Amino acid sequence: SDGRSGIAIGDRGWAKSVIDLMAAAPDAEITNAHEILEPLRAIKDGDELAIMRRASWLTDDVYAAILPRLELGMSERDIAWVIDREIQRHAPDGVSFHTGIRIGGNVTRPGSIHDSLTETTLQRGAVLAFDFGMLLDGYCSDFGRTVFIGEVTDERRDVYDLVIRAQSAAI
């Protein structure tokens, strides 16, 4: 509008990139690309919706394929490797984000599912949380599930049911 050139950079752009762009084009106006792209991405046509559905179905297929391959003694890293390999079989574009696995319930540890994978192993009584997804034709799936290994205690079942009810109410 004022004749200045503009540069749009994404929310997750590196500070170094912004500094270099500002040095290369000191008169340019720096804007947030998200503000430009978000409205364009909000509405999907039929082809885009079909790709997104296919990515979700394929992610469900990955989950079904990996469950029988899980064994007691596998580490979070082992499980993530199995998932990532299965994703490659279904979607050559690969994972849409770092595969998150968290084994808990019978171990105490800080951190979230998105912290580094560990050598914590799958044992009876554990709670296993999955967070993974795939990239398909430029669209990402995002899949999260929690499973119990062995018998579920009443307390864990109550907590799980509470979370499911809260999620349903929020939706």
Side-chain angles (χ1 to χ4, degrees):
S1 61
D2 61 6
R4 292 174 53 189
S5 61
I7 299 172
I9 190 161
D11 288 343
R12 297 180 184 202
W14 292 93
K16 171 91 169 85
S17 299
V18 175
I19 291 167
D20 290 347
L21 287 168
M22 291 172 64
D27 295 331
E29 179 181 357
I30 305 289
T31 59
N32 184 341
H34 178 76
E35 294 170 5
I36 299 166
L37 296 175
E38 195 275 332
L40 300 175
R41 292 179 172 166
I43 299 173
K44 308 288 186 239
D45 64 26
D47 291 340
E48 291 172 306
L49 291 172
I51 293 167
M52 293 170 69
R53 283 187 190 99
R54 180 161 164 70
S56 293
W57 292 332
L58 288 173
T59 304
D60 287 341
D61 291 348
V62 167
Y63 181 64
I66 62 104
L67 282 180
R69 294 167 55 195
L70 300 180
E71 298 176 11
L72 296 179
M74 291 178 83
S75 72
E76 291 174 352
R77 287 186 181 102
D78 296 334
I79 296 167
W81 184 85
V82 169
I83 291 168
D84 290 351
R85 296 280 295 168
E86 194 64 31
I87 286 172
Q88 288 294 327
R89 285 183 3 87
H90 286 78
D93 292 340
V95 300
S96 54
F97 54 89
H98 176 75
T99 296
I101 298 296
R102 187 58 68 197
I103 297 171
N106 59 349
V107 295
T108 303
R109 45 131 30 94
S112 76
I113 196 167
H114 293 290
D115 293 335
S116 296
L117 299 170
T118 72
E119 290 302 319
T120 303
T121 59
L122 197 55
Q123 303 297 325
R124 290 202 183 283
V127 178
L128 174 58
F130 298 95
D131 189 12
F132 62 89
M134 68 175 58
L135 180 61
L136 183 68
D137 297 334
Y139 290 87
C140 298
S141 66
D142 187 348
F143 179 97
R145 294 293 184 277
T146 301
V147 297
F148 298 98
I149 309 303
E151 294 298 317
V152 182
T153 66
D154 289 341
E155 180 183 14
R156 286 194 183 145
R157 171 56 70 185
D158 290 345
V159 170
Y160 179 84
D161 290 343
L162 176 64
V163 170
I164 294 300
R165 285 194 311 273
Q167 180 189 39
S168 294
I171 290 170

